[in-house]
Amino acid sequence: VVRLYRPRGEILEGDWAFPAATPVTPAFEEAVELVHWGLPIVASAALRHAFVRDAGARDNDIVYWSAPPDGTMQLPTLHGAARYVLAMFETFHGPVVLEVPAARDTTLVGTILDAWQVPVAELGGEGLDRGRGGRFLLLPPTDEGSELPGAIAVPLRTFSGYLLLRAVPDLSLELVRELRMYPLDERRAAGEPRLIDMTGKPFDRLVRFDEQFFDELARTVAVEPVPERDHHHVAALDRLRDAAGALLADAARTAHELLVRRIGQHGTPV
């Protein structure tokens, strides 16, 4: 099949030129590498922003979707037949207790992840609770041995994180009501956790790949532990934040394009 197109006027008149490409300087390459390194923790921050902004939730509230995912729902690793439960937590002021009910007639599986989106505990039939439910004590990196009788200790490498549960085929409100998250020191509790159904409501946790990416990354690594092997990335971030906004924006977009290509080639990000 041959298709013919009429050139734009500026092309015919000789006034059009290829857009100027951003020079591939060492600073540009370093910025692209920073995006790939920092994406997990920036994505966690974006999830927290959606949790607060779109759901009106606070730490230890329970956000859930009582119907299968639709176009309004932006969560990682969505499964079309599942119902989802999301809870965010922070342990800056001490350990947090998580109570998970037994699954009963529903397959209930999930993961507790730290701020770098590293799984720290699996829940469900193959998880720590073997599908029977139980209590978990989420311990911050600075904790020196807090205990709770009958609870499973879950040491964290970061101060914040989240719980994501998937229920198949249905998610009953009774099951959601039995799920609780609260500070071990109940004096710090902000009140009874709320249950917020976000079905059919916008929940936008997508990462924006522009110069603001680097600001979000800097805010996050300023309060969360960074593995020693990655300290050179933090030093690079400090240097690059004074770079021109156009360079950072182009680097973020380039990094995003490279990630999209990897997903297209391999099916999942590498």
Side-chain angles (χ1 to χ4, degrees):
V1 177
V2 177
R3 293 186 174 88
L4 301 177
Y5 297 91
R6 182 183 299 278
R8 296 192 323 222
E10 58 267 32
I11 296 177
L12 293 174
E13 296 168 7
D15 296 330
W16 184 85
F18 282 100
T22 301
V24 182
T25 62
F28 181 81
E29 292 181 331
E30 198 169 40
V32 171
E33 184 180 352
L34 266 179
V35 175
H36 290 166
W37 170 73
L39 181 56
I41 202 165
V42 171
S44 288
L47 185 62
R48 177 173 290 278
H49 292 327
F51 188 78
V52 174
R53 179 194 63 237
D54 297 338
R58 57 177 182 253
D59 283 329
N60 308 327
D61 284 343
I62 307 298
V63 171
Y64 68 100
W65 285 262
S66 56
D70 60 16
T72 65
M73 181 181 177
Q74 299 289 345
L75 281 179
T77 62
L78 286 177
H79 187 288
R83 275 69 166 168
Y84 284 83
V85 178
L86 173 68
M88 310 291 298
F89 60 83
E90 287 185 345
T91 63
F92 290 104
H93 300 295
V96 169
V97 180
L98 168 65
E99 295 182 0
V100 178
R104 296 193 287 274
D105 295 331
T106 297
T107 300
L108 187 66
V109 297
T111 308
I112 301 170
L113 302 101
D114 67 15
W116 288 99
Q117 299 208 58
V118 175
V120 294
E122 298 291 337
L123 307 179
E126 300 297 324
L128 293 177
D129 61 331
R130 300 298 180 188
R132 297 189 291 268
R135 286 200 298 180
F136 303 86
L137 185 62
L138 309 180
L139 301 170
T142 54
D143 189 81
E144 297 182 355
S146 295
E147 295 182 351
L148 179 65
I152 299 173
V154 180
L156 300 167
R157 293 191 296 178
T158 61
F159 289 97
S160 61
Y162 65 95
L163 165 72
L164 186 63
L165 290 172
R166 297 173 295 279
V168 181
D170 293 309
L171 178 65
S172 68
L173 186 56
E174 290 73 20
L175 195 65
V176 176
R177 284 175 176 156
E178 293 180 37
L179 182 67
R180 298 191 67 224
M181 186 178 281
Y182 53 89
L184 177 62
D185 183 354
E186 296 191 8
R187 293 172 299 177
R188 296 187 178 276
E192 192 67 20
R194 296 171 298 165
L195 307 180
I196 303 171
D197 188 353
M198 287 297 291
T199 301
K201 301 173 185 176
F203 190 86
D204 180 9
R205 47 77 59 189
L206 296 179
V207 174
R208 268 52 182 180
F209 289 89
D210 54 27
E211 64 272 21
Q212 298 302 315
F213 181 100
F214 298 91
D215 293 333
E216 188 67 65
L217 179 58
R219 282 192 294 269
T220 308
V221 299
V223 297
E224 292 288 6
V226 175
E228 186 174 352
R229 67 177 185 274
D230 291 335
H231 283 183
H232 67 286
H233 288 304
V234 179
L237 179 61
D238 290 339
R239 291 194 304 271
L240 286 171
R241 291 193 70 198
D242 293 330
L247 182 146
L248 297 181
D250 286 345
R253 284 192 290 269
T254 299
H256 181 235
E257 291 169 1
L258 292 172
L259 287 169
V260 169
R261 290 178 189 174
R262 288 183 184 181
I263 294 171
Q265 293 173 357
H266 303 283
T268 57
V270 177

